[in-house]
Structures are given as C-alpha cells and as structure tokens.
Amino acid sequence: MEGHNFDIRKHLLEYDDVLNKQRTIIYKNRREILEAAVSGDKSALKRMIMDLVEQELEFVVSFHTNTEEKDDWNVSEIYETAKTIFGFNETEKTELLQTSRVSGSKVDEVETREKIVNWLLAKAKKEYDKMAESVAVSAGNAEEAENLMFSIEKNILLRAIDSLWVEYLVSIDHLRAGIGLRGYGQRDPLIEYKKETYQMFNELQANIQKEVVYSFYKVSAGLQLAPSVM
C-alpha cells in the first residue's frame, strides 16, 4: 500500500514538474518587467516590446513566404496582416510591395525576406516614435511624458502575460482532468501530457507576443487620433 501511494505521489509530482518549469519561465519574464519598473530603467520595456514586434514581423513574413516557389509568396497577405498591426498610407504600401520583389536565386529570396522584415521593423519604430510624440503632447512636460509612456508599456506587457497565463492554467486543468483516459488507448498519459503542454506553452508564448504587439499599436493609433478629435 505504501509503495502504491508513493507511486501515485511520484506520478503527481512529475505532472507538477512540467507546469513548474513553464511557470518559472513566465514568472521570470514578469519579474524582468517589474524590476525594470522598480529600477526606473525606462528603456528596458521599450526593448522588450520592440523585440516582440520584431519576432512577430519575422513570423508574419516567414509564414507567407514559406514556399519553395517565389511565385507562390503571398506578399499581399504580408501587407494585409501588417496593416492590422499599424496603418499604412499608399506610398508605404507601394514601398512594401516593391521591397518584396524577388529576382530569382535562393540567396536573393533570403535577402528579400530580410529586406521585408527590416522595412516593416523600420515602420514599427516610426509608429513607436509617433506614439511617443502623441504622449508628449498630452503630458505636461518631458518627465511626465516619459513616465506615461513607461506606464503604458508596463501595463500592456503585464496584462498580456497575466490574462493569457490565467487562461492557460484553466486549459491545463481541463487537459489534466482527462489525460488519464489516454491510457485506455495504450498511450502513456504522462508522455501525452508532456507533448500537449509543450505545444500549448509554445502557443501561449506566441499569443503573448501577438497580444503585446497588437495592443501596443492599437493604443498608439488611439493616441494619435486624440489630438485631432480634441
């Protein structure tokens, strides 16, 4: 009986260990944000957000050019997807589509992908600067503008992590409640649990990235519209 109970406890600990490793990663990211806030390192959160923006743009470009044939590149979808992050005028749209032209070789394809990402990243940085200018207009002085921008960045990062992590924990509870049934199909429930949580955690991180990027530029668009409304 003691041996049986030990095996049960060991099995439960193995399940807990999987989640604890993921919790460590999430809490580390969250702690870095809070430490930047406490230390007053106002450039740290900008770097975090722009890193996520770059990763999201790289994903968008890779997803729509992930084909052997350059003629199958869905360049218009790159534009359409990027347009949902931040707005484009007609000149910028033309520039992006021209940047996306590929002449032929594999080397040229790699270079073109890089050019597209760099163009979009430059656009993202320009939109960030516009947001900072809008914040400066609404703030009383440079220090207040800096603090307000810092607060916006911190809140967007923390809200994305916290809300999606809570949703993730609920999904994990549901998975764990029914994972034992996999044993009836001659599959090890623990192995199945590890495989599924690995995939789910990757999706969580991708969703946090996407939530931060889209939320940030949504706030940016709202701030830029505000002066013309007032």
Side-chain angles (χ1 to χ4, degrees):
M1 179 62 71
E2 288 181 1
H4 177 68
N5 290 336
F6 174 80
D7 288 339
I8 292 175
R9 288 195 299 272
K10 180 184 177 184
H11 211 54
L12 290 175
L13 286 173
E14 288 175 328
Y15 279 93
D16 290 339
D17 187 53
V18 174
L19 186 59
N20 285 336
K21 289 176 180 177
Q22 296 174 349
R23 182 180 286 109
T24 298
I25 294 172
I26 293 297
Y27 282 20
K28 177 178 178 292
N29 294 339
R30 199 176 190 282
R31 186 168 59 251
E32 288 175 353
I33 298 167
L34 294 174
E35 286 175 352
V38 171
S39 67
D41 185 359
K42 293 183 170 60
S43 63
L45 298 190
K46 178 182 177 180
R47 288 196 301 271
M48 291 180 193
I49 287 180
M50 294 313 297
D51 283 346
L52 293 174
V53 170
E54 183 172 3
Q55 292 167 29
E56 184 65 21
L57 294 175
E58 287 176 346
F59 168 77
V60 169
V61 173
S62 176
F63 182 81
H64 293 295
T65 61
N66 187 23
T67 174
E68 292 293 326
E69 297 295 330
K70 66 180 187 302
D71 293 338
D72 294 333
W73 283 19
N74 201 337
V75 177
S76 62
E77 272 304 312
I78 295 176
Y79 163 71
E80 291 295 336
T81 303
K83 191 173 68 172
T84 64
I85 301 175
F86 32 64
F88 284 76
N89 58 41
E90 284 302 313
T91 301
E92 290 172 329
K93 177 182 178 181
T94 301
E95 286 180 6
L96 174 59
L97 296 179
Q98 288 177 341
T99 302
S100 305
R101 290 177 179 172
V102 183
S103 61
S105 69
K106 293 295 182 183
V107 173
D108 186 59
E109 289 180 14
V110 172
E111 291 177 349
T112 301
R113 284 191 185 94
E114 187 175 346
K115 286 179 183 177
I116 298 171
V117 171
N118 288 339
W119 190 94
L120 289 170
L121 189 57
K123 166 70 173 171
K125 290 176 180 176
K126 186 190 301 182
E127 293 299 319
Y128 179 96
D129 291 339
K130 287 182 182 178
M131 179 177 183
E133 290 172 5
S134 298
V135 168
V137 168
S138 61
N141 54 58
E143 185 178 357
E144 284 186 17
E146 194 176 44
N147 290 336
L148 179 55
M149 194 71 179
F150 188 71
S151 177
I152 291 170
E153 292 166 339
K154 182 186 73 173
N155 289 336
I156 287 174
L157 285 163
L158 289 177
R159 186 170 64 246
I161 292 174
D162 292 348
S163 61
L164 292 172
W165 175 245
V166 169
E167 290 179 12
Y168 178 77
L169 291 177
V170 172
S171 298
I172 288 297
D173 281 344
H174 291 158
L175 172 66
R176 191 162 171 173
I179 199 71
L181 298 175
R182 306 287 178 91
Y184 292 107
Q186 305 303 312
R187 289 179 292 176
D188 187 325
L190 180 58
I191 293 176
E192 292 292 308
Y193 178 78
K194 288 180 178 180
K195 285 167 55 179
E196 293 209 24
T197 52
Y198 175 78
Q199 180 179 347
M200 290 169 65
F201 189 67
N202 285 340
E203 291 174 357
L204 168 66
Q205 291 178 304
N207 288 337
I208 290 173
Q209 173 178 295
K210 190 179 296 291
E211 178 69 18
V212 168
V213 173
Y214 281 79
S215 295
F216 182 78
Y217 286 105
K218 184 177 180 180
V219 169
S220 174
L223 288 171
Q224 291 174 44
L225 286 172
S228 62
V229 174
M230 292 175 61

